[in-house]
C-alpha cells in the first residue's frame, strides 16, 4: 500500500513569488491536512480538506490557500512569499472520520530567499 | 483552545535504559491521541494511537497510556536503542480532521 506522497521534495523561491505544493493521499483516505513546521513554532495546522471541501482552518493569512480534487489529491498554494514562509510543509491524510489516525508524507522543504 | 505540552524538551540516555516521555493537554474532550516519531528532515511516523475510550496501547517495546481526566499521556520506551534516537511528538485530536501537536521531545540514546 503506497504511502502519502508529497512533491516536490525541495523548493527554493524568491520573496514575492508564489508556490504550489502537492499531496497524494493513501488510497481510501478522503481527508488531507496541511501543517507548517518551523524550529521556532513547531507544527502549526494550516487547513484540512475532506471530500473537496475545506472542513477546518488554522490561523494563517489568506496568502495560504488549498484545494482538493475529486481523487482526494490536494494542493497547497502560497502567494507573495515572505522570508518567514521558509519551513517544512507536511501533509497528513486519514479516512477523515473521528477516530482515524493520521499518516504523514515526508514533506516539502521550502526555502524563500 | 487546545494546548499540548511535552516535557522534557530533550532527553539523553544510555543504551538499554527504560524511559518515559510526557504529554499534557488542556482540553480533555478529545477523540484520540497519537504518538509520532520524526527523524531529522523527514515526515512523521505514527507509533501508537489511543482512542479516547482506551487507557493504553502497546506495540513492541512501546507502551502509551492515556488519562483523559488529568489531561496526560505517557510514552514508555523499554530497553532503548540508538535507533530510537529521534524527536517524539504527541498529537491530540479534538475535531475530526484537526490535530494539535506538542513541540516534541528530542531523544538521544547513546551506545
Amino acid at each position: 500500500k503506497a504511502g502519502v506522497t508529497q512533491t516536490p521534495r525541495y523548493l527554493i523561491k524568491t520573496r514575492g513569488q508564489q508556490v504550489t505544493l502537492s499531496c497524494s493521499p493513501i488510497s481510501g483516505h478522503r481527508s488531507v491536512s496541511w501543517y507548517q513546521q518551523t524550529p521556532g513554532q513547531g507544527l502549526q495546522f494550516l487547513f484540512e480538506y475532506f471530500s473537496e471541501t475545506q472542513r477546518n482552518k488554522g490561523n494563517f493569512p489568506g496568502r495560504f490557500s488549498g484545494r482538493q480534487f475529486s481523487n482526494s489529491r490536494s494542493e497547497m498554494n502560497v502567494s507573495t512569499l515572505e522570508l518567514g514562509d521558509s519551513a517544512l510543509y507536511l501533509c497528513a491524510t486519514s479516512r477523515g472520520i473521528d477516530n482515524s489516525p493520521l499518516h504523514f508524507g515526508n514533506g516539502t522543504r521550502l526555502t524563500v530567499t | 483552545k487546545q494546548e499540548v505540552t511535552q516535557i522534557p524538551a530533550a532527553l539523553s540516555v544510555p543504551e538499554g535504559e527504560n524511559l518515559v516521555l510526557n504529554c499534557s493537554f488542556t482540553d480533555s474532550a478529545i477523540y484520540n491521541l497519537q504518538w509520532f516519531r520524526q527523524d531529522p528532515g523527514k515526515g512523521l511516523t505514527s507509533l501508537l494511537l489511543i482512542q479516547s475510550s482506551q487507557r493504553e496501547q502497546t506495540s513492541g517495546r512501546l507502551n502509551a497510556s492515556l488519562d483523559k481526566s488529568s489531561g496526560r499521556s505517557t510514552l514508555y520506551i523499554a530497553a532503548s536503542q540508538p535507533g530510537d534516537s529521534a524527536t517524539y511528538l504527541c498529537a491530540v485530536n479534538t475535531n475530526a480532521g484537526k490535530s494539535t501537536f506538542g513541540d516534541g521531545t528530542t531523544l538521544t540514546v547513546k551506545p
Side-chain angles (χ1 to χ4, degrees):
Chain A
K1 189 173 178 181
V4 179
T5 303
Q6 288 190 248
T7 57
R9 189 77 177 88
Y10 301 95
L11 266 177
I12 300 175
K13 290 286 188 179
T14 303
R15 215 168 23 169
Q17 289 185 315
Q18 67 95 26
V19 66
T20 299
L21 313 181
S22 178
C23 175
S24 294
I26 291 171
S27 176
H29 285 195
R30 296 165 63 192
S31 168
V32 178
S33 312
W34 290 90
Y35 291 83
Q36 181 195 66
Q37 188 177 36
T38 59
Q41 298 295 319
L43 263 166
Q44 302 289 315
F45 175 78
L46 282 153
F47 33 65
E48 183 247 357
Y49 285 85
F50 180 77
S51 293
E52 301 180 66
T53 300
Q54 187 180 87
R55 187 167 63 168
N56 290 285
K57 187 177 188 303
N59 297 319
F60 277 79
R63 301 186 297 106
F64 292 81
S65 63
R67 59 177 175 168
Q68 185 179 35
F69 302 95
S70 59
N71 62 357
S72 293
R73 188 177 72 85
S74 176
E75 288 181 348
M76 189 191 91
N77 185 275
V78 188
S79 63
T80 319
L81 284 166
E82 301 176 358
L83 295 179
D85 297 334
S86 295
L88 180 65
Y89 289 88
L90 291 162
C91 156
T93 78
S94 76
R95 289 181 295 156
I97 58 176
D98 293 345
N99 294 326
S100 51
L102 293 176
H103 297 267
F104 279 82
N106 278 328
T108 294
R109 169 72 65 183
L110 172 64
T111 301
V112 182
T113 62
Chain B
K1 178 188 170 187
Q2 180 73 267
E3 293 182 3
V4 180
T5 303
Q6 291 188 245
I7 293 174
L11 181 64
S12 180
V13 301
E15 182 177 2
E17 197 162 289
N18 302 325
L19 58 102
V20 175
L21 307 180
N22 298 290
C23 172
S24 61
F25 48 94
T26 55
D27 183 352
S28 62
I30 68 172
Y31 286 133
N32 58 51
L33 185 146
Q34 197 168 354
W35 281 94
F36 296 88
R37 73 172 275 169
Q38 185 176 29
D39 294 289
K42 297 290 183 66
L44 280 65
T45 300
S46 180
L47 297 172
L48 289 164
L49 172 75
I50 310 178
Q51 305 292 358
S52 62
S53 59
Q54 297 175 321
R55 295 290 299 223
E56 66 178 276
Q57 279 287 339
T58 298
S59 176
R61 295 183 293 108
L62 305 179
N63 176 277
S65 68
L66 175 64
D67 184 342
K68 273 202 325 177
S69 61
S70 66
R72 292 183 181 180
S73 175
T74 62
L75 178 67
Y76 174 82
I77 302 177
S80 58
Q81 302 170 358
D84 295 331
S85 297
T87 296
Y88 291 80
L89 298 109
C90 69
V92 176
N93 184 350
T94 51
N95 182 343
K98 180 179 180 180
S99 291
T100 303
F101 283 78
D103 286 338
T105 294
T106 298
L107 173 66
T108 302
V109 181
K110 297 172 290 186

